[in-house]
Amino acid sequence: MSSPNDASAVVIGILALQGAFAEHEAALRRLPLKRQIYPIQVRTVEDLNKCAALIIPGGESTTIALLAKLSNLLEPLRQFVKTKPVWGTCAGAILLSQSVESTTAKKGGQELLGGLSIKISRNGWGSQVESFEAELQVTGLRNSQQPFNGIFIRAPVVLTLSPLPNDPSIEVVARLSPRLLPHNISGPVKDDDPQTIVALRQGLHFLTTFHPELTADDRFHEYFVKECVLPQVTVP
């Protein structure tokens, strides 16, 4: 493994305030890429400044936001999101959203980083006991004919896509069958409804409402590095 001081190493941070950050780090270390990737855990502004890209893990979005604020990381993270590749999984997806529903129980609402032109619902799939797994057909992954096992744990649900005319276009990477949508979503849902989206990309930013880091399948990590990160990195 290279070090962050190697000129050729691409430093990818994992926000390590709360949640499944260690699993993301392990997945990045497993990637068999020609370009050297060096994952680091980010807890300070100094850590963040070393990074070419960032992963915000699953966990509890309001807790992550509060700890980021207490660590003086909230505003630096918002600035980072404006210019660097960022991937949010589950709670991280919530933090990257433009607006969030179901935050009335949280005093003061939900601090967000922005970056994705979407509205999302916290815990849209229900409680912990309603967590589930589903096979996803994903175009763009290596061996795309092989389904990806999506693990959904108190996962958020994408409600609307709302890009402005000058925003990057939104690319849907993976959807879930409407028959698997949460019981609390009312009315008929079509295959192309935003609520079926479980992975999307907009410009430099990537979102998954499930937890790829909890599987031994590293293809989503490979996708993020190859498609979002490396094209933005200048070869020394």
Side-chain angles (χ1 to χ4, degrees):
M1 176 66 65
S2 59
S3 77
N5 295 321
D6 292 344
S8 61
V10 178
V11 179
I12 299 179
I14 305 101
L15 189 62
L17 302 177
Q18 190 261 346
F21 53 86
E23 290 83 353
H24 276 293
E25 180 179 2
L28 289 175
R29 290 185 182 276
R30 290 193 299 262
L31 293 181
L33 299 175
K34 293 181 180 179
R35 187 72 185 269
Q36 288 293 329
I37 301 299
Y38 189 87
I40 67 170
Q41 296 183 12
V42 173
R43 295 186 176 89
T44 67
V45 176
E46 290 74 19
D47 295 334
L48 186 64
N49 289 339
K50 299 174 185 175
C51 300
L54 183 71
I55 296 174
I56 304 175
E60 215 296 318
S61 60
T62 52
T63 299
I64 294 173
L66 176 60
L67 292 173
K69 189 172 184 178
L70 293 173
S71 303
N72 296 316
L73 265 171
L74 197 58
E75 288 306 321
L77 284 169
R78 285 175 174 147
Q79 294 305 311
F80 189 96
V81 166
K82 290 180 180 180
T83 60
K84 300 289 182 67
V86 182
W87 174 16
T89 64
C90 198
I94 294 171
L95 291 169
L96 285 180
S97 301
Q98 189 177 69
S99 63
V100 179
E101 194 175 83
S102 304
T103 60
T104 53
K106 303 292 183 180
K107 185 177 179 180
Q110 168 78 71
E111 293 275 14
L112 301 174
L113 304 178
L116 290 167
S117 305
I118 66 169
K119 182 177 182 179
I120 204 164
S121 173
R122 296 179 75 253
N123 299 336
W125 300 100
S127 65
Q128 186 88 8
V129 296
E130 293 169 292
S131 300
F132 66 97
E133 299 182 20
E135 287 194 343
L136 305 174
Q137 296 293 336
V138 188
T139 57
L141 296 188
R142 176 173 45 84
N143 299 330
S144 59
Q145 73 282 358
Q146 176 185 340
F148 190 95
N149 185 46
I151 299 176
F152 295 81
I153 303 173
R154 295 177 60 202
V157 170
V158 176
L159 297 178
T160 58
L161 310 180
S162 52
L164 297 173
N166 293 328
D167 289 344
S169 60
I170 294 176
E171 174 188 352
V172 176
V173 177
R175 290 183 182 271
L176 196 64
S177 169
R179 65 182 176 81
L180 295 176
L181 288 176
H183 61 78
N184 57 344
I185 291 180
S186 60
V189 177
K190 298 180 179 179
D191 289 344
D192 61 351
D193 191 286
Q195 295 170 111
T196 66
I197 298 171
V198 294
L200 63 81
R201 179 181 175 189
Q202 184 178 25
L204 299 175
H205 304 132
F206 187 42
L207 168 156
T208 52
T209 63
F210 55 98
H211 290 267
E213 76 281 3
L214 298 184
T215 75
D217 189 339
D218 301 327
R219 287 180 294 160
F220 268 92
H221 289 80
E222 181 182 49
Y223 176 93
F224 175 63
V225 173
K226 285 187 172 181
E227 300 297 326
C228 300
V229 180
L230 293 184
Q232 308 303 317
V233 176
T234 302
V235 178

